[in-house]
Amino acid sequence: MRKTTASTGAVLRFFSASYNSDLTDAGVIALAQAFRVTMTELGVVGCAIGDAGGLTILEWAKTALSPRMICAEGNLFS
């Protein structure tokens, strides 16, 4: 994901890790470091993500240029 930039011609727009219950907060926090501002859709349904991971997703969404959809149901948010 880190190599997808506009300068290389590759742009990451959609990413899904849904139904990966081993992802958890640690996994989504690590992935979010590579999320691009060009991503418009993110899927993390049923990934055992708690509040820390949820906040990380929100922080990414604030920097994204045009976020359209974040599917995050079935997680462990408070």
Side-chain angles (χ1 to χ4, degrees):
M1 286 193 302
R2 291 184 181 159
K3 293 183 180 182
T4 58
T5 64
S7 64
T8 64
V11 179
L12 180 64
R13 300 240 187 256
F14 315 106
F15 182 80
S16 178
S18 291
Y19 305 106
N20 180 354
S21 61
D22 292 330
L23 187 62
T24 69
D25 284 338
V28 80
I29 290 168
L31 281 172
Q33 294 175 9
F35 289 167
R36 296 294 177 222
V37 296
T38 57
M39 278 183 21
T40 59
E41 298 181 23
L42 174 63
V44 287
V45 175
C47 291
I49 299 169
D51 291 339
L55 288 173
T56 299
I57 291 168
L58 287 174
E59 290 302 316
W60 162 77
K62 289 179 190 178
T63 66
L65 298 175
S66 301
R68 294 185 341 186
M69 182 175 10
I70 299 173
C71 297
E73 63 269 16
N75 283 291
L76 306 172
F77 309 123
S78 63

